[in-house]
Amino acid sequence: MTLCIAFHSHSFMDNLVQPFHLLNPYVVQNPQTHMQPRSLSPTSVSLGMSESQLVSSQFSSQNFSPFFHPLDNLGELKTLSSVRELHAQMVKMPKRGNSVTMDGSMMRNYLEFGDFASATKVFFVGFSRNYLLWNAFLEEFASFGGDSHEILEVFKELHDKGVEFDSKALTVVLKICLALMDLWLGMEVHACLVKRGFHVDVHLSCALINLYEKCLGIDMANRVFDETPLQEDFLWNTSVMANLRSEKWEKALELFRRMQSASAKATDGTMVKLLQACGKLRALNEGKQLHGYVIKFGRVSNTSICNSVVSMYSRNNRLDLARTVFDSMEDHNQASWNSIISSYAANGRLNGAWDIFQKMQSSSIKPDIITWNSILSGHLLQGSYEMVLTNFRSLQNGNFKPDSCSITSALQAVIELGCFNLGKEIHGYIMRSNLDYDAYVCTSLVDMYIKNISLDKAEAVFHYSKNKNICAWNSLISGYTYKGMFNNAENLLNQMEGEGIKPDLVTWNSLISGYSMWGHREEALALMKRIKSLGLTPNVVSWTAMISGCCQNNNFMDALQFFSQMQEENVKPNSTTICSLLRACAGPSLLKKGEELHCFCMRHGFVDDIYVATALIDMYSKGGKLRVAHEVFRKIQEKTLPCWNCMMMGYATYGRGEEVFTLFDSMCKTGIIPDAITFTILLSGCKNSGLVMEGWKHFDSMKRYNITPTIEHYSCMVDLLGKAGFLDEALDFIHAMPHKADASIWGALLSACRIHKDVKIAEVAARNLFRLEPYNSANYVLMMNIYSSFDRWGDVERLKDSMTAMGVKIPNVWSWTQVRQTIHVFSTEGESHPQEGEIYFELYQLVSEIRKLGYVPDTHCVLQNIDEKEKEKVLLSHTEKLAMTYGLMSIKDGSPIRVVKNTRICQDCHTAAKYISLARNREIFLRDGGRFHHFMNGECSCNDRW
């Protein structure tokens, strides 16, 4: 149909003057004319007076007079035919009384008898042009079961008969087009308006903007706005809101600036949405300008606006300003308290969140489930998984019923902590509370059982779920790929497609991540090609999955290579990509690449991201640049718990215990609550610095924070006591602890026995290690070192024979160093370095030089019963010595030498490195299989405790 709305209304009105049974024979023949009226609607279109007031006398066709009016006999209307006859007479007679009331009553009579078409005709032709009345009719129409499509059909019919519609009627039609997504009719109406040069009022323009934004795109909606000559406040607000709905945040803010120039005023609803946009964009300056507008025009009394200001400052990491706004508010509603508590929790300020929580409890407004969920989410975000579960129990004890959000937070904590028995209890609660319908709960349950290596239960939950969506499918596929069960994943993918669910990028990204994580690089690349063949474009998540998978599998060079390919395809990385890459650079101490990434972060604005900043601290700490790491840490305004933990770990690794304790005290003063990881770091700082008393103090203080010591904490204490020389106390501690000692416990004790040369306790530790890890060659080598230091060659040979009998082999030992952009590897197997002769020549000179300073080769490190001279020659071939020597030969600018070794550095090389740093006045950073060593001026950061 092509509309042309240039016509007159008299033809239709003339038709209405005739009795309805003459106007349309269908009226007489249709059995609907004798229908009984429908039940009354709860609301009435009749405005001005009630029907009882309208009925003033009995209607009788025999007693008709000039003073009679048909509406006087409404009470006698029993059939649709009588309604139509009455309507025909009303049209003939002169108007008496309120025409709005009469038209409204007539429409309602038609609606009661189910004649929606006639009611709509009265609505379009006879009804007063008032938006409130029209909206009331639409509500009444829907309450009687009318279909909005019928209104549009009547509109088309009346148009064909020549009825002329004004802008108010057309506005209603366009609104119905929007509700029904009927773009074509809306465009035809618009086209006719343009053709006629029809005056488009503000309401009609707004209806067109909303229609085009929803059905055709925001660009066309903005075009309507720009072409509207009279831009009133209502139109400005409608355009801004349309852009916000379409997530065109920048355009919405630009329109707001233009609004101010045009002296147009934003509504409260517009201000709320604009402030939310500033939070999402991290647009602090624009947010401050909006806050200024709120103050200037006296909107500070609006609680919803103030809540949005609080949220905006919070999302821009300005918690101080958020709190100032909150404290200055005249009134606080439930959303106000929840907003500020959520802000503190999301920024890791959990002590502050609890303080506000307690103030809320003492106010007239009490915490609700949303408040508790904010606390749970905050602990979850900070990695405080024990506190998540503690508060989950408090929530239940407070007679609150956990919802799907609470449940998913608790299940995530269960997954991280591995307390799957509690997870099963939560699953029982889910079933009893009928929460299993929720797709997110289902996904979390599937994930929990997958992490608990209970794929059968994960499958059972998946198949039992009534409301499976693509997230549930993706979760199980991800679980299969996480476990390396790629055949199962492919089968489930085929089943998913068979049920009509089309895999999305999340599905493919799960497969890519799994293949990449399990080292199947070619399969992962094949999936990338498959995605492209399906018409999809690998996004940043696809590439990040590749990079992250490589990092988890220690394929760091592949991760960097994929990043290069990602840039070649013009895919911009996000903060998760950058964090994965920084972990890759921290892994093998690729400091140069890490520094390049840091520059990339500064150019592209990633340095303000808390996760990227934390990854930078980790990378620089592991690369030996603690000063740079601390500088990055210092610049972070709102430090989170992982951020503090990372910086403390950097100092702990290099044996700088006092700095660890200083940072810990500073962290506690900010209100951040330490977690189990924090205490592992504190105890590591103590053991690497030999601070026994401080170690006991922090170990005992864990109870104060409701943290139960884990096997990692007990291992640190054994290491601390053993390396300090308290071997008997360490052994007693092992026997007294509530956990069964694992390989980390006995390994720490055996390492301490090597330092203090205690064969008796070493043999106890070794027996347990050989039982727990019978194929770990490092344990045999360590015990052989202890035997060789006492010249017990018979025991050395006995262990070698045991290794041979069990098929245990000492892995290939290698060390490498980076010179400019090239990595040089020195290995006990494989090809020799091309400059091997020059390296050995330089090493001989270097050894002669450090001998003069007091260096004496430690031949006990050679596990062969040969003479001393031969042992000294063997020591010269150790890969870490060759790597250090080559670094000194090739790097002439005085910068530190950096070496990575895959096994523990031997005693002789450790001593030699200290003397080399003194003789050549060079810093040497060496990362071995156990820890980091920073050699400078003849000393090592480990204080000879490694």
Side-chain angles (χ1 to χ4, degrees):
M1 179 192 74
T2 303
L3 292 178
C4 184
I5 314 176
F7 32 66
H8 302 285
S9 62
H10 62 80
S11 60
F12 181 70
M13 294 304 293
D14 290 342
N15 286 337
L16 280 179
V17 171
Q18 304 175 49
F20 265 56
H21 66 280
L22 298 177
L23 177 66
N24 188 352
Y26 176 78
V27 172
V28 178
Q29 298 166 11
N30 192 339
Q32 256 194 334
T33 57
H34 301 290
M35 287 175 56
Q36 293 300 313
R38 299 189 178 199
S39 59
L40 296 181
S41 164
T43 59
S44 177
V45 176
S46 302
L47 303 175
M49 63 178 70
S50 66
E51 290 186 8
S52 59
Q53 291 173 309
L54 290 171
V55 180
S56 57
S57 63
Q58 294 293 321
F59 168 65
S60 171
S61 58
Q62 288 83 10
N63 299 320
F64 186 81
S65 73
F67 303 101
F68 164 80
H69 197 276
L71 196 61
D72 294 338
N73 207 8
L74 272 175
E76 299 242 340
L77 299 177
K78 303 295 184 182
T79 64
L80 180 58
S81 178
S82 61
V83 174
R84 287 174 172 169
E85 291 178 4
L86 174 63
H87 188 193
Q89 295 185 48
M90 286 174 57
V91 174
K92 289 180 182 179
M93 300 303 295
K95 295 288 182 182
R96 189 187 85 187
N98 191 328
S99 63
V100 173
T101 302
M102 291 189 292
D103 289 337
S105 297
M106 205 72 255
M107 284 187 294
R108 190 159 187 261
N109 286 321
Y110 280 125
L111 290 174
E112 287 177 351
F113 284 98
D115 189 352
F116 298 112
S118 296
T120 305
K121 288 175 183 177
V122 177
F123 168 70
F124 273 122
V125 178
F127 209 35
S128 174
R129 300 298 188 255
N130 180 297
Y131 283 115
L132 293 176
L133 298 178
W134 287 49
N135 288 332
F137 168 74
L138 294 176
E139 291 179 9
E140 186 88 352
F141 187 87
S143 72
F144 278 96
D147 185 348
S148 297
H149 287 94
E150 295 182 66
I151 299 178
L152 296 185
E153 289 302 319
V154 171
F155 169 74
K156 296 173 187 177
E157 179 188 343
L158 295 180
H159 155 257
D160 291 339
K161 290 184 177 181
V163 177
E164 183 175 336
F165 301 96
D166 66 6
S167 63
K168 295 181 178 66
L170 294 176
T171 298
V172 173
V173 170
L174 287 172
K175 287 182 177 180
I176 296 172
C177 289
L178 172 62
L180 299 178
M181 298 295 284
D182 192 339
L183 173 63
W184 291 112
L185 180 58
M187 292 179 70
E188 288 170 2
V189 172
H190 189 194
C192 290
L193 292 173
V194 174
K195 188 183 297 183
R196 288 180 52 206
F198 194 88
H199 171 65
V200 180
D201 72 4
V202 64
H203 292 281
L204 194 51
S205 295
C206 291
L208 284 168
I209 287 172
N210 289 329
L211 176 69
Y212 284 138
E213 180 261 324
K214 188 74 175 288
C215 300
L216 200 59
I218 190 62
D219 292 336
M220 184 59 73
N222 286 334
R223 187 173 171 182
V224 171
F225 171 78
D226 292 333
E227 292 175 357
T228 303
L230 227 64
Q231 295 178 335
E232 301 178 24
D233 291 5
F234 185 43
L235 186 67
W236 280 103
N237 282 279
T238 299
S239 184
V240 171
M241 292 295 283
N243 279 275
L244 289 169
R245 284 194 301 271
S246 297
E247 299 186 357
K248 298 292 183 182
W249 321 116
E250 293 88 351
K251 177 66 176 178
L253 291 169
E254 178 200 335
L255 284 169
F256 177 72
R257 284 190 286 269
R258 288 168 56 189
M259 277 182 74
Q260 292 178 287
S261 301
S263 300
K265 291 185 179 181
T267 64
D268 292 346
T270 302
M271 292 304 302
V272 167
K273 295 297 181 182
L274 282 169
L275 286 163
Q276 290 173 1
C278 290
K280 292 173 182 176
L281 284 174
R282 304 294 190 268
L284 179 61
N285 290 333
E286 289 81 356
K288 286 181 176 179
Q289 291 171 24
L290 288 171
H291 189 191
Y293 182 92
V294 169
I295 296 171
K296 179 180 179 181
F297 289 95
R299 308 284 186 88
V300 290
S301 59
N302 187 297
T303 307
S304 296
I305 290 178
C306 289
N307 291 344
S308 298
V309 173
V310 170
S311 179
M312 180 274 295
Y313 280 129
S314 169
R315 297 193 72 168
N316 280 282
N317 297 319
R318 290 303 305 271
L319 201 56
D320 54 334
L321 295 178
R323 182 60 185 271
T324 301
V325 173
F326 177 81
D327 290 338
S328 67
M329 289 172 64
E330 297 175 6
D331 296 308
H332 298 112
N333 60 14
Q334 190 81 48
S336 311
W337 289 100
N338 287 343
S339 179
I340 192 67
I341 289 172
S342 175
S343 299
Y344 270 78
N347 282 276
R349 302 286 293 277
L350 296 173
N351 276 358
W354 270 113
D355 289 342
I356 301 171
F357 182 86
Q358 290 169 350
K359 288 180 182 178
M360 181 182 184
Q361 287 182 311
S362 62
S363 73
S364 59
I365 299 173
K366 301 304 177 186
D368 60 5
I369 189 63
I370 297 175
T371 320
W372 280 103
N373 286 343
S374 298
I375 297 292
L376 293 176
S377 298
H379 283 301
L380 193 63
L381 186 66
Q382 300 303 315
S384 303
Y385 305 115
E386 295 93 344
M387 292 302 297
V388 173
L389 297 180
T390 299
N391 285 291
F392 182 74
R393 295 187 189 97
S394 300
L395 181 156
Q396 290 178 298
N397 294 336
N399 294 321
F400 287 98
K401 187 177 181 181
D403 60 7
S404 59
C405 184
S406 321
I407 293 295
T408 50
S409 294
L411 287 174
Q412 186 61 42
V414 165
I415 291 168
E416 296 295 338
L417 296 172
C419 19
F420 296 109
N421 287 333
L422 177 58
K424 292 175 184 177
E425 292 178 18
I426 294 174
H427 188 183
Y429 173 83
I430 291 168
M431 300 299 291
R432 293 191 301 273
S433 304
N434 296 320
L435 286 171
D436 53 313
Y437 71 90
D438 188 278
Y440 294 102
V441 172
C442 168
T443 302
S444 298
L445 280 172
V446 170
D447 192 34
M448 180 194 75
Y449 282 120
I450 286 169
K451 300 289 175 61
N452 190 30
I453 321 178
S454 300
L455 278 175
D456 54 338
K457 293 179 181 177
E459 290 169 339
V461 171
F462 174 80
H463 292 301
Y464 179 80
S465 176
K466 298 174 183 177
N467 291 327
K468 282 197 295 284
N469 59 14
I470 194 168
C471 297
W473 289 90
N474 288 343
S475 180
L476 190 55
I477 288 173
S478 177
Y480 282 136
T481 58
Y482 180 80
K483 296 297 181 183
M485 300 171 66
F486 299 110
N487 288 336
N488 298 63
E490 292 286 352
N491 291 336
L492 191 62
L493 179 66
N494 295 334
Q495 182 185 343
M496 176 182 178
E497 291 177 313
E499 294 193 16
I501 299 176
K502 187 177 180 181
D504 60 6
L505 269 176
V506 176
T507 318
W508 298 113
N509 290 342
S510 297
L511 288 164
I512 289 170
S513 179
Y515 277 119
S516 182
M517 182 179 69
W518 282 87
H520 302 310
R521 183 177 183 273
E522 297 305 319
E523 288 84 348
L525 284 172
L527 277 174
M528 294 285 275
K529 294 177 182 177
R530 187 175 173 184
I531 290 174
K532 294 175 183 177
S533 69
L534 292 170
L536 300 172
T537 303
N539 59 7
V540 63
V541 180
S542 313
W543 286 103
T544 303
M546 294 278 286
I547 292 167
S548 179
C550 289
C551 292
Q552 291 180 51
N553 206 42
N554 295 327
N555 294 326
F556 302 113
M557 300 308 295
D558 283 349
L560 294 171
Q561 184 180 347
F562 284 137
F563 180 58
S564 299
Q565 292 181 27
M566 177 182 178
Q567 290 179 296
E568 289 171 6
E569 296 195 13
N570 295 319
V571 179
K572 294 182 179 180
N574 57 22
S575 59
T576 306
T577 319
I578 298 299
C579 289
S580 296
L581 288 165
L582 288 170
R583 282 196 297 272
C585 294
S589 297
L590 292 173
L591 186 60
K592 294 293 182 185
K593 288 288 183 183
E595 289 173 333
E596 291 174 14
L597 278 171
H598 192 181
C599 294
F600 181 91
C601 292
M602 289 190 286
R603 288 197 305 272
H604 295 86
F606 284 111
V607 287
D608 294 327
D609 186 281
I610 188 64
Y611 299 104
V612 172
T614 304
L616 281 168
I617 294 169
D618 182 56
M619 185 270 294
Y620 278 118
S621 297
K622 291 177 178 176
K625 286 201 167 185
L626 277 177
R627 289 182 183 176
V628 181
H630 192 270
E631 186 63 21
V632 174
F633 173 80
R634 188 183 62 80
K635 290 180 179 178
I636 300 173
Q637 291 185 347
E638 296 292 338
K639 300 176 177 66
T640 60
L641 178 59
C643 178
W644 286 96
N645 283 346
C646 195
M647 192 68 249
M648 286 190 283
M649 190 64 198
Y651 282 118
T653 300
Y654 289 96
R656 296 171 64 171
E658 294 301 329
E659 284 90 339
V660 176
F661 305 146
T662 301
L663 280 173
F664 177 73
D665 292 338
S666 299
M667 182 189 81
C668 291
K669 288 176 182 177
T670 66
I672 293 179
I673 301 171
D675 62 1
I677 296 173
T678 311
F679 281 96
T680 301
I681 295 166
L682 286 169
L683 295 175
S684 296
C686 293
K687 74 173 184 177
N688 292 338
S689 304
L691 304 172
V692 178
M693 296 305 296
E694 287 80 358
W696 276 117
K697 182 185 79 173
H698 289 299
F699 183 80
D700 292 336
S701 71
M702 292 174 70
K703 298 176 184 177
R704 191 165 69 238
Y705 296 95
N706 295 319
I707 298 173
T708 303
T710 64
I711 197 71
E712 287 80 10
H713 300 111
Y714 284 101
S715 179
C716 287
M717 287 303 297
V718 170
D719 207 5
L720 170 62
L721 293 171
K723 286 177 178 176
F726 302 108
L727 294 172
D728 291 326
E729 288 83 348
L731 190 58
D732 292 340
F733 183 80
I734 293 172
H735 293 316
M737 69 183 194
H739 297 278
K740 187 176 181 180
D742 65 0
S744 67
I745 298 287
W746 294 114
L749 185 62
L750 185 60
S751 296
C753 292
R754 179 192 62 79
I755 296 172
H756 298 288
K757 302 187 184 310
D758 190 315
V759 179
K760 183 179 178 182
I761 296 180
E763 288 177 332
V764 173
R767 279 196 299 272
N768 284 282
L769 283 170
F770 297 156
R771 174 177 54 83
L772 293 167
E773 297 179 333
Y775 299 101
N776 187 346
S777 61
N779 298 327
Y780 294 92
V781 172
L782 191 54
M783 193 63 217
M784 283 190 282
N785 272 321
I786 295 172
Y787 280 139
S788 66
S789 65
F790 289 97
D791 294 328
R792 291 174 56 171
W793 298 109
D795 291 316
V796 171
E797 293 301 321
R798 177 177 55 79
L799 285 179
K800 287 182 178 180
D801 292 340
S802 297
M803 291 176 68
T804 302
M806 296 185 65
V808 180
K809 294 182 179 180
I810 298 175
N812 177 30
V813 179
W814 51 258
S815 300
W816 63 258
T817 188
Q818 183 176 358
V819 177
R820 290 178 285 278
Q821 298 299 317
T822 305
I823 291 177
H824 297 264
V825 181
F826 300 87
S827 175
T828 54
E829 298 177 9
E831 295 182 4
S832 302
H833 194 278
Q835 294 178 261
E836 183 180 35
E838 299 171 43
I839 295 169
Y840 272 107
F841 180 78
E842 179 68 22
L843 180 57
Y844 278 119
Q845 290 185 318
L846 192 58
V847 170
S848 299
E849 189 177 342
I850 63 177
R851 278 181 182 272
K852 296 174 183 177
L853 297 175
Y855 165 70
V856 177
D858 186 352
T859 55
H860 290 108
C861 297
V862 179
L863 305 180
Q864 300 173 22
N865 190 12
I866 53 180
D867 64 45
E868 293 298 306
K869 290 295 181 183
E870 292 299 318
K871 288 182 179 181
E872 290 183 15
K873 290 180 182 179
V874 172
L875 290 175
L876 288 175
S877 66
H878 282 194
T879 59
E880 56 266 54
K881 283 195 183 77
L882 297 174
M884 284 188 285
T885 303
Y886 184 74
L888 290 168
M889 289 170 52
S890 306
I891 303 173
K892 301 293 187 181
D893 59 0
S895 59
I897 308 299
R898 302 179 189 279
V899 175
V900 176
K901 186 182 180 185
N902 67 328
T903 60
R904 186 187 297 268
I905 186 174
C906 75
Q907 179 70 45
D908 178 71
C909 289
H910 189 270
T911 303
K914 290 194 292 184
Y915 279 105
I916 291 170
S917 69
L918 179 63
R920 295 296 174 90
N921 192 27
R922 295 287 286 274
E923 289 183 84
I924 300 172
F925 291 93
L926 190 146
R927 182 185 180 187
D928 67 8
R931 61 169 297 163
F932 293 90
H933 301 269
H934 179 199
F935 302 98
M936 184 173 64
N937 298 324
E939 296 181 352
C940 179
S941 60
C942 73
N943 297 317
D944 297 334
R945 300 183 184 92
W946 88 97

